Amino acid sequence: VQLQASGGGLVQAGGSLRLSCKASGSIAVIGDMAWYRQNPGNQRELVATITSGGSTNYADAVKGRFTISRDNAERTVHLQMDSLKVEDTSVYYCKALIRRYTYRPQYDYWGQGTQVTVSS
């Protein structure tokens, strides 16, 4: 199983970016999916989550500015980031809870991270 993240880059404050993360490989079920972010020397922090049914949750710092969504058929999770702030600068990671085979345990898988830099 692989999670491939894309969409990071450099943007000015107030701008927008859309991150995507696609799961591939032998997968039976994808459960909750999420985005995290991490800066050097800091712990990885949760940004947003989405269940398989589409229920979402957001960190207070991004509520009203970020939107998480998923396309189950494409095995993809997106993070639409609007009104970006300098403090949103970070490496963003996607995570998915995946059951590879029916009746087998499910595990968390992580993407490789994509850099988002917001300039003032």
Side-chain angles (χ1 to χ4, degrees), residues 2 5 8 13 17 19-20 22 45 55 58-59 64 69-70 84 112-113 116-117:
Q2 281 193 327
L17 280 175
L19 306 183
S20 296
K22 185 175 178 64
E45 64 175 5
S55 296
Y58 297 92
S69 62
R70 64 190 284 169
L84 281 161
Q112 84 283 11
V116 171
T117 302

Side-chain angles (χ1 to χ4, degrees), residues 50-72:
I50 185 166
T51 67
S52 57
S55 296
T56 59
N57 224 333
Y58 297 92
D60 288 343
V62 307
K63 274 181 186 175
R65 300 187 298 120
F66 291 11
T67 303
I68 189 171
S69 62
R70 64 190 284 169
D71 183 332
N72 291 328

Side-chain angles (χ1 to χ4, degrees), residues 4 7 20 25 28 30 49 53 60 64 78 88 93 102 104 106 116-117 119:
Q4 182 68 44
S20 296
I30 301 179
T49 64
D60 288 343
H78 303 286
D88 293 319
Y93 297 88
T102 306
R104 299 299 295 273
Q106 53 189 4
V116 171
T117 302
S119 63

Side-chain angles (χ1 to χ4, degrees), residues 38-110:
Q38 185 175 24
N39 286 319
N42 293 340
Q43 285 191 332
R44 195 167 292 188
E45 64 175 5
L46 180 65
V47 175
T49 64
I50 185 166
T51 67
S52 57
S55 296
T56 59
N57 224 333
Y58 297 92
D60 288 343
V62 307
K63 274 181 186 175
R65 300 187 298 120
F66 291 11
T67 303
I68 189 171
S69 62
R70 64 190 284 169
D71 183 332
N72 291 328
E74 293 294 323
R75 297 176 171 179
T76 300
V77 62
H78 303 286
L79 185 68
Q80 177 66 41
M81 304 185 293
D82 298 318
S83 303
L84 281 161
K85 303 177 180 180
V86 172
E87 51 264 42
D88 293 319
T89 296
S90 191
V91 178
Y92 284 72
Y93 297 88
C94 57
K95 188 184 78 168
L97 185 63
I98 292 175
R99 189 187 309 276
R100 296 195 63 192
Y101 306 102
T102 306
Y103 308 122
R104 299 299 295 273
Q106 53 189 4
Y107 299 100
D108 282 329
Y109 289 84
W110 290 87

